Amino acid sequence: MTAAAKAARMVAEASADAPAADVPRRVCEAVRDGLCVDGATLALLTDTPSRQLLAASDDDALTLEDIQFTLLEGPCISAARTGEPVAVHDLRHELTPWPLFGATLREKLPRVTSVYALPLFFGDYVLGTVDLLALRPHALGEEALEEASQVADAVTAALMTTREMLLTGSRAPDWEPRDVVRAHWFDTARAVGALVARRGISAEDALALMRAEAFRTGRPLADITTDILRDPPRRP
């Protein structure tokens, strides 16, 4: 059995009969263990210019996702746009096509040497991505990367058990790590709406301002979101 086939089977087993709130975490862990990498994240795309984090297997994976969420560039962004897997086999010797992402990742995660992103398809639509990181170069060979679509298909199938929660968006998902998932999924949209109302700008411009502040200060975008929501609306 190939590594991809093993990982796909582990994803299916991990999500079978699991409560919806446990599915993303179990799926992340199954992908990580099945593909023998050191971390994994699971995120969706929505109709807003942001990624929506569902789960991260560990702190390094969470940092990888936060970098891309803030900079709006990196393997997961490219995979979502093109619908193709993206691989960075050796960060020590490869120049990435994303200058801010590459520099920031080397600074914040110096131990990480390879990163991969797999698009998740729902029919012809890219639903989101699975991101993988490893502390060794060439963690996935070319053959394994080509077969990774099996894993992505298994992840999409697993997420179908949570579709009502994903589609309604009426409350923040009760997923771990709870505070970060809430910031990336629910509170960011609220903060964007608050800036739109206060400044009379578009949602895209509001999110761009938040990202610029995160980049300028070196703080996570989730912290900028928290600041905005704590700041009461100014009276005219």
Side-chain angles (χ1 to χ4, degrees):
M1 180 181 293
T2 65
K6 175 185 175 183
R9 185 194 67 190
M10 291 176 65
V11 167
E13 292 174 350
S15 59
D17 301 322
D22 291 344
V23 169
R25 175 183 56 81
R26 291 189 181 189
V27 165
C28 270
E29 292 171 353
V31 171
R32 177 195 61 194
D33 296 343
L35 291 177
C36 298
V37 293
D38 297 293
T41 67
L42 175 60
L44 299 184
L45 298 174
T46 68
D47 57 359
T48 63
S50 61
R51 285 171 53 77
Q52 311 302 321
L53 178 67
L54 303 186
S57 64
D58 53 63
D59 289 343
D60 283 352
L62 186 58
T63 299
L64 169 65
E65 185 65 26
D66 201 58
I67 290 170
Q68 297 180 95
F69 186 78
T70 300
L71 299 178
L72 199 59
E73 68 174 36
C76 71
I77 306 298
S78 295
R81 287 175 177 165
T82 65
E84 298 290 337
V86 175
V88 182
H89 290 296
D90 192 344
L91 280 160
R92 298 172 304 179
H93 300 107
E94 287 184 43
L95 289 176
T96 74
W98 320 281
L100 293 178
F101 168 80
T104 305
L105 185 68
R106 291 183 182 96
E107 176 187 352
K108 293 189 174 184
L109 293 175
R111 298 188 306 144
V112 173
T113 54
S114 57
V115 178
Y116 304 90
L118 309 175
L120 302 175
F121 282 95
F122 183 68
D124 294 331
Y125 175 71
V126 177
L127 182 70
T129 63
V130 174
D131 287 0
L132 312 168
L133 64 85
L135 307 184
R136 64 191 188 280
H138 296 273
L140 294 183
E142 294 299 333
E143 184 176 351
L145 194 61
E146 290 177 2
E147 295 173 346
S149 61
Q150 300 175 50
V151 183
D153 289 346
V155 171
T156 300
L159 285 179
M160 289 303 99
T161 63
T162 69
R163 61 186 178 274
E164 291 302 321
M165 186 184 299
L166 297 177
L167 292 174
T168 61
S170 58
R171 65 181 181 87
D174 189 23
W175 292 333
E176 298 294 340
R178 184 174 301 179
D179 291 345
V180 178
V181 168
R182 182 181 179 92
H184 283 242
W185 172 276
F186 198 69
D187 289 347
T188 297
R190 291 174 57 216
V192 167
L195 282 183
V196 168
R198 292 174 196 174
R199 301 196 180 189
I201 58 179
S202 69
E204 290 77 9
D205 287 344
L207 188 57
L209 284 175
M210 292 166 60
R211 285 198 164 100
E213 180 66 8
F215 184 71
R216 183 185 70 81
T217 61
R219 300 169 64 205
L221 186 61
D223 289 354
I224 306 301
T225 290
T226 299
D227 289 348
I228 293 170
L229 294 178
R230 283 177 178 168
D231 183 23
R234 295 175 178 82
R235 294 184 180 276

